[in-house]
Amino acid sequence: MAAVSAWLCVLALPSTIVAAAPTCVQSTSTSITVLYPNSEDMDLHYVELSSGERPTQKPFALVTGERFPIEVTGLRPSTTYLVSIRSHPKAEKTIAWGPGWLQSSELVNCTTASNEQGQSLRTKSHMKRTAPGSKFLKVFRISEFSFEVDFLDNHDAASIEAMPLYIMTCDPMGNCGPWVVGPRWNRCQATLLEVCPGMRGAAFQCMACVDKHRSQIVDACGDFTIQDSTKGEGSFPVHWHCGIGWPESVTEEGPITEYCVEYLPVPAGKDEGGDGFSGYLSCNSDETDGLMHNDPRDPSCSCIVYDDRMLAHQTIEDMKADCFVGEIPWVNETICNCSGTKSPFPNASNPSVAHVGRAPVYMPYVGINNSVPKTHFTNIYAGHNYHFPRGGACPEGAPLGTNGCTWRRHSHSRMLYGADLVAAGWDRRFVPDTPTNVSHTRKNQAAFESAVRSLDSLMSPCHFSEDGPTLVV
């Protein structure tokens, strides 16, 4: 009866359910095992860890599993962690929508055992090779349209060099993605939930509702536009609530999650992204909003869009064959077709719909004018952006090749926030790149790497032995 009674509220809205408290049933010097009621109504869970040692009290790590008990490894001896659980209802379409998960359970303290021989015996979180020829990839993703982890399925992510650049995205006038929420945020979000119930993340349907109730929304949020623009105090919080437009994230609030992935390369000759990667798809963006009426609760992807081609420093000549063939509604940006086709949507035979894809990122980046030059006089490599197609995702815990899957996520992930970056030396000032000076961006890249390393003291990074997959960065 315990498993049933813990889920009496399962018919309520997922984000309003508060479930039972977890129990730590076993502890070693480097691991804890967590027990929690299993339910047939849930298809995935994660154990999330917090610590008073971090610059923020938000969770810094998670471990996913389909059923309890779940073991968390790579921990520090003689350390107390705050532990809670989030669960995902089967009724939700995808794990890639943060608000679709149940609220965190009650927090409990779990302490690892002592280790008299010291931390030199500390184990790391291994991810073993599951298919011949597989490779390994570590990427980072900042959650979109929510302050919860939103995983990788039909989402984009970035390498450790490229993620800081995305966080610093600004136009030449210094208009950047938000770092913090405004003073009216909580009232605004509560009003949107009340006035447009069930519309959280419903994209254009949600926007139609808020426009219908404009006076109430303006009173709570400030003036807003239904166009793809941040003009007006209420525009970003309204768009964010509806899950539409750019920007999609708030650095101080939403997690920047580190994921470890094993994947099968695309066969030689079909790797448009080079080195075994398919051509990059742009997922869950304002371009997919306009092209496909994207729904972030079930995100969509299109072939690489104009803005992402700009980040890859494509020139007019590079784009001529695929772009400038029409305009994306709402975004007012040129349509770019998939390479060699007459459609911006990948067809079923395109390797990108089943294989991890990538596109390069170059500096100058921050504050650069959004126009295509005939040539780029400076191309400073700054990592890659990646996409992870749902069509190639392995079931939780399954090896590569299961039902034809081509990529799988490690169960252990770690999270950063804006406070972690600032503590590591991040400079929030707007300093645009120039063709001869990208030192400010370089400084923030170093701060980002330092912030990632700071997580090692509480949970080891994912690790591969000599016979494990090849590391790709």
Side-chain angles (χ1 to χ4, degrees):
M1 292 299 293
V4 176
S5 63
W7 301 105
L8 289 178
C9 299
V10 76
L11 295 180
L13 290 174
S15 61
T16 66
I17 302 171
V18 179
T23 305
C24 300
V25 295
Q26 186 176 350
S27 169
T28 71
S29 61
T30 61
S31 70
I32 56 175
T33 300
V34 180
L35 193 62
Y36 193 70
N38 290 303
S39 169
E40 296 305 315
D41 296 309
M42 305 294 144
D43 57 10
L44 194 62
H45 311 269
Y46 63 78
V47 178
E48 55 185 5
L49 305 182
S50 306
S51 171
E53 297 182 25
R54 302 295 304 163
T56 173
Q57 297 300 303
K58 297 175 188 232
F60 71 87
L62 65 82
V63 180
T64 56
E66 290 185 310
R67 295 187 67 81
F68 290 92
I70 292 176
E71 184 183 25
V72 183
T73 61
L75 303 180
R76 188 174 69 191
S78 304
T79 302
T80 297
Y81 296 86
L82 292 170
V83 175
S84 59
I85 307 297
R86 296 196 71 179
S87 299
H88 187 261
K90 286 182 179 178
E92 291 290 321
K93 293 181 179 179
T94 172
I95 65 170
W97 172 237
W101 289 74
L102 305 191
Q103 282 188 349
S104 298
S105 71
E106 181 182 339
L107 282 167
V108 298
N109 290 327
C110 296
T111 303
T112 51
S114 62
N115 181 0
E116 295 180 359
Q117 299 183 54
Q119 295 185 26
S120 60
L121 298 180
R122 187 173 170 194
T123 60
K124 296 183 179 180
S125 302
H126 287 265
M127 186 182 189
K128 296 180 180 179
R129 180 193 295 273
T130 63
S134 66
K135 293 185 178 182
F136 171 70
L137 184 65
K138 185 180 291 185
V139 297
F140 297 82
R141 170 175 171 76
I142 185 167
S143 293
E144 296 172 334
F145 307 122
S146 79
F147 298 151
E148 296 94 8
V149 173
D150 61 2
F151 296 95
L152 291 175
D153 302 46
N154 269 16
H155 277 159
D156 298 322
S159 65
I160 196 168
E161 310 97 332
M163 188 71 249
L165 274 66
Y166 179 81
I167 295 170
M168 290 188 287
T169 299
C170 304
D171 68 16
M173 302 303 294
N175 298 308
C176 309
W179 190 274
V180 297
V181 299
R184 302 171 74 173
W185 183 271
N186 290 340
R187 182 189 170 202
C188 174
Q189 297 304 312
T191 301
L192 288 163
L193 288 172
E194 179 183 354
V195 172
C196 294
M199 288 291 174
R200 175 78 169 94
F204 287 110
Q205 283 184 288
C206 175
M207 293 294 285
C209 179
V210 297
D211 194 38
K212 181 179 178 180
H213 300 280
R214 175 171 286 273
S215 60
Q216 290 172 266
I217 305 301
V218 168
D219 181 62
C221 306
D223 195 22
F224 67 93
T225 176
I226 60 171
Q227 303 303 314
D228 187 22
S229 168
T230 56
K231 184 179 180 180
E233 181 187 3
S235 290
F236 172 68
V238 167
H239 294 185
W240 181 91
H241 180 91
C242 290
I244 197 167
W246 188 91
E248 302 107 335
S249 309
V250 181
T251 308
E252 186 69 40
E253 299 294 337
I256 306 161
T257 306
E258 174 192 65
Y259 298 98
C260 298
V261 176
E262 183 191 12
Y263 69 99
L264 289 172
V266 178
K270 297 183 178 180
D271 53 344
E272 184 182 336
D275 196 28
F277 290 97
S278 69
Y280 179 74
L281 300 184
S282 302
C283 303
N284 207 39
S285 65
D286 53 348
E287 291 91 351
T288 57
D289 295 337
L291 278 170
M292 310 172 75
H293 275 218
N294 177 65
D295 184 340
R297 300 169 301 183
D298 188 17
S300 304
C301 304
S302 65
C303 285
I304 182 169
V305 299
Y306 175 85
D307 278 356
D308 289 329
R309 289 170 182 261
M310 289 288 296
L311 304 183
H313 276 204
Q314 291 190 11
T315 64
I316 290 177
E317 194 64 30
D318 295 327
M319 295 190 195
K320 190 181 296 182
D322 302 323
C323 303
F324 316 114
V325 291
E327 190 171 84
I328 299 174
W330 192 64
V331 183
N332 300 322
E333 179 182 299
T334 180
I335 293 174
C336 290
N337 290 329
C338 306
S339 297
T341 76
K342 295 184 178 180
S343 171
F345 313 123
N347 59 40
S349 64
N350 189 321
S352 299
V353 303
H355 288 267
V356 177
R358 76 174 185 183
V361 178
Y362 293 99
M363 298 182 285
Y365 180 111
V366 179
I368 297 302
N369 189 28
N370 191 25
S371 60
V372 187
K374 291 183 178 180
T375 185
H376 289 275
F377 296 102
T378 305
N379 290 304
I380 304 170
Y381 174 73
H384 284 85
N385 288 329
Y386 300 88
H387 86 272
F388 295 86
R390 184 186 305 158
C394 293
E396 181 72 18
L400 292 173
T402 302
N403 299 324
C405 70
T406 64
W407 66 271
R408 69 183 192 100
R409 170 186 48 78
H410 189 11
S411 60
H412 286 54
S413 296
R414 306 188 303 175
M415 293 89 82
L416 293 166
Y417 304 85
D420 297 294
L421 302 185
V422 171
W426 185 279
D427 187 346
R428 288 181 54 192
R429 292 178 302 161
F430 169 63
V431 180
D433 289 341
T434 73
T436 59
N437 189 343
V438 294
S439 59
H440 181 261
T441 301
R442 290 285 198 203
K443 177 182 177 183
N444 281 347
Q445 285 178 313
F448 187 87
E449 292 187 23
S450 177
V452 173
R453 288 194 302 271
S454 74
L455 294 171
D456 296 354
S457 65
L458 288 169
M459 173 182 271
S460 298
C462 59
H463 175 74
F464 290 79
S465 56
E466 290 298 321
D467 60 349
T470 304
L471 176 65
V472 178
V473 294

